[in-house]
Amino acid sequence: DTLWDIAIAEVEKKEKADDGAKHAEVWEKSVLFMGNKNGGKTTIILRCLERDEIPKPTLALEYTFGRRARRHNTRKDVAHFWELGGGTSLVELTQIPITSNNIRSFAVVLVLDLSKPNELWATMEKLLQVTRNHANKILTKLEKKNPEVAAEIKQRVRNNLQRDHPDYELVDPFPIPLLIIGSKYDIFHEFDSETRKIISKTLRFVSHYYGASLVFTGKSEALLLKARVFINHLAFGYDKSKSISVDYNKPLFIPSGLDSLSQIGPPPTSSSDIGRMRVNTPLELWKKVFEKTFPPENFCDSQDTKDPAQDLQYAEHEVDAMRAQKKQ
């Protein structure tokens, strides 16, 4: 090789290394938080971003972001945090943050209020159903335009469970990464043992069935830190925790793929009851058993959804004066 050949090879080698470093450093993910009204979503986000603010009620769909540097003197990774307010009343707004441009780097966090078991299944079912349908529509369109990316997204969700896992063919993974957080553990902990067992087993089944991670959190700093471990993994690519806690007498902490149907056991009811239930899927069976113990209340999130125009945190004197004049 001549001196020029060596110089060109050196430059090309350096450019490739720089490209690789840029690719490794730039990290941009989006996370959508949804769940029960007043379930603690805003508090969890603020604690995750280490912001010492008093949480305000979320109206409609709110956005914030966090930045983290993985190493000293490196560009900061960015995570976009979306929060859906109003419980299930505004679920159609999930279509705004989840798009074909970002679905590859999108994750969902479902926050369920453990202190309200009668609202739990209905809230979970509606929010996950609408979000799943929307994500599947995007993936269907993506399969036509960019089949490789669509296949990669589907395979990545499947990878949460090893191929040799006995439940590999029995579960139905959510199309994008999912984390289920059971909030208000301090209230839930006061429930009787049987109630805690039924709720814990049911949430373990749902999480495992959807290929999701599950964690219980509450007011204590230790529990909030455990939830942050999962959120930091989804938002900033931090290492996934390998520890696990499945004892219903303690806060649950189960990373995706580490549970199994044999460990969870059958739905908490008699075999004769199960025999009488007409269902098509395991999920329907668990739903019937759960709602037999905790009949769904006829609650409606939209009934008490406040008018944003009357909310003091959005007050704008000139706009409000014009609206008052028009109304008059």
Side-chain angles (χ1 to χ4, degrees):
D1 288 352
T2 66
L3 190 62
W4 290 115
D5 292 329
I6 295 166
I8 290 166
E10 283 290 323
V11 170
E12 284 176 351
K13 188 178 170 185
K14 190 171 184 296
E15 281 175 352
K16 277 182 185 174
D18 287 347
D19 285 348
K22 281 176 192 168
H23 182 71
E25 281 172 21
V26 179
W27 181 286
E28 199 165 318
K29 291 218 167 190
S30 302
V31 184
L32 170 64
F33 287 76
M34 55 189 187
N36 292 86
K37 281 189 76 168
N38 306 315
K41 299 183 291 296
T42 309
T43 304
I44 291 167
I45 293 171
L46 290 173
R47 297 305 286 274
C48 184
L49 296 175
E50 296 174 10
R51 289 186 193 162
D52 192 18
E53 297 172 25
I54 296 166
K56 294 175 184 174
T58 304
L59 284 165
L61 188 67
E62 293 197 1
Y63 168 84
T64 187
F65 68 93
R67 298 171 74 200
R68 295 269 164 85
R70 271 185 262 184
R71 292 182 303 279
H72 188 58
N73 286 339
T74 59
R75 286 179 64 181
K76 288 186 176 180
D77 298 329
V78 179
H80 306 281
F81 288 86
W82 296 86
E83 184 186 353
L84 180 71
T88 59
S89 62
L90 302 168
V91 67
E92 299 301 329
L93 291 179
T94 55
Q95 295 179 23
I96 294 169
I98 309 173
T99 66
S100 55
N101 293 329
N102 67 11
I103 194 165
R104 198 175 184 179
S105 57
F106 210 97
V108 170
V109 176
L110 176 66
V111 181
L112 296 172
D113 188 338
L114 296 172
S115 69
K116 297 177 182 173
N118 299 81
E119 293 180 16
L120 196 144
W121 193 284
T123 301
M124 173 177 70
E125 185 175 55
K126 187 167 183 184
L127 289 171
L128 290 184
Q129 207 169 38
V130 173
T131 309
R132 179 173 207 149
N133 290 345
H134 176 59
N136 282 335
K137 275 182 192 171
I138 291 173
L139 288 173
T140 304
K141 286 180 185 174
L142 206 58
E143 276 177 339
K144 293 172 185 171
K145 286 184 183 175
N146 199 334
E148 288 175 8
V149 171
E152 181 208 315
I153 293 167
K154 287 183 176 181
Q155 190 54 48
R156 195 176 59 207
V157 174
R158 270 279 173 196
N159 286 345
N160 279 331
L161 217 57
Q162 298 296 323
R163 279 195 171 273
D164 57 356
H165 195 290
D167 305 334
Y168 189 79
E169 297 297 331
L170 303 173
V171 297
D172 185 15
F174 205 69
I176 48 182
L178 174 65
L179 165 63
I180 296 176
I181 296 179
S183 65
K184 303 193 181 177
Y185 180 78
D186 26 300
I187 299 171
F188 173 77
H189 187 59
E190 300 299 318
F191 290 176
D192 66 82
S193 175
E194 196 55 33
T195 300
R196 282 186 282 118
K197 185 179 180 181
I198 293 167
I199 296 170
S200 296
K201 276 189 79 166
T202 302
L203 286 179
R204 276 181 70 189
F205 171 78
V206 171
S207 300
H208 184 59
Y209 187 75
Y210 282 132
S213 296
L214 174 67
V215 62
F216 284 1
T217 191
K219 287 180 179 176
S220 83
E221 195 63 37
L223 287 180
L224 280 162
L225 276 171
K226 287 192 170 186
R228 272 176 63 183
V229 168
F230 284 114
I231 295 165
N232 282 335
H233 169 68
L234 295 175
F236 298 106
Y238 286 21
D239 288 342
K240 201 172 167 182
S241 176
K242 291 285 193 296
S243 62
I244 181 169
S245 171
V246 295
D247 183 355
Y248 68 90
N249 291 310
K250 296 174 184 175
L252 297 185
F253 184 91
I254 310 169
S256 57
L258 296 188
D259 214 342
S260 69
L261 295 175
S262 59
Q263 285 179 310
I264 297 165
T269 189
S270 66
S271 301
S272 56
D273 275 354
I274 291 175
R276 283 196 293 269
M277 290 176 181
R278 292 183 179 179
V279 293
N280 296 319
T281 65
L283 198 65
E284 284 180 30
L285 176 63
W286 279 83
K287 178 185 176 180
K288 287 205 169 185
V289 172
F290 186 82
E291 290 189 340
K292 191 180 173 188
T293 312
F294 305 107
E297 292 176 353
N298 290 324
F299 75 97
C300 182
D301 285 326
S302 56
Q303 283 176 351
D304 57 352
T305 300
K306 291 178 185 174
D307 177 5
Q310 306 302 322
D311 197 294
L312 291 175
Q313 66 173 311
Y314 300 109
E316 285 191 47
H317 178 71
E318 289 180 10
V319 177
D320 295 340
M322 290 295 286
R323 288 184 81 246
Q325 191 180 331
K326 184 179 178 185
K327 195 174 178 183
Q328 192 181 345

